[in-house]
Amino acid sequence: MTLSVYFADGVVDLLKKVRFTDPRPLVQKKAEALILHAHSIPIKEISKILGSCENTICSYFHEFRKNGIEGLLEKKIVKRKSELYNFREMIAKYCTK
């Protein structure tokens, strides 16, 4: 599997800072993957080093190509609802009985 990412001047240095300063483990992992890729390490090896599948690593690269470093640093809030969310009123009534 091959996929190349272009790194503008200074981006790898910025990724190195993000790798050790950002409090979010996933952002750190993405930065690490990109740093390794910048050093011409194959995706297969990066996936072994980071313990992620190759498709996941490729998704990091696609995300970076699409959104750049700003996209990597953007705080993404995903609000997930439980399968029981739609039954919350029924559950509340049952619990009050």
Side-chain angles (χ1 to χ4, degrees):
M1 189 177 293
T2 58
L3 174 70
S4 58
V5 178
Y6 170 75
F7 297 96
D9 291 338
V11 171
V12 175
D13 291 331
L14 184 56
L15 287 169
K16 288 177 183 178
K17 288 179 186 175
V18 168
R19 169 67 183 93
F20 294 106
T21 60
D22 196 285
R24 297 165 291 176
L26 182 58
V27 172
Q28 293 176 357
K29 189 174 192 175
K30 289 178 181 182
E32 176 96 12
L34 288 160
I35 292 165
L36 293 171
H37 184 67
H39 287 82
S40 301
I41 296 176
I43 293 171
K44 190 172 191 169
E45 287 300 311
I46 295 171
S47 69
K48 286 180 185 177
I49 292 167
L50 298 181
S52 297
C53 73
E54 292 179 40
N55 289 337
T56 300
I57 301 300
C58 286
S59 73
Y60 298 165
F61 298 166
H62 285 295
E63 179 183 7
F64 182 78
R65 285 170 68 180
K66 182 179 177 187
N67 302 316
I69 192 78
E70 295 82 16
L72 180 75
L73 297 175
E74 182 180 296
K75 291 189 187 270
K76 296 174 185 154
I77 300 170
V78 178
K79 292 186 178 183
R80 296 185 178 142
K81 293 182 181 176
S82 165
E83 292 178 19
L84 299 175
Y85 179 80
N86 295 329
F87 302 99
R88 67 190 180 282
E89 291 174 15
M90 182 175 34
I91 294 168
K93 285 179 186 176
Y94 179 80
C95 290
T96 56
K97 285 184 181 181

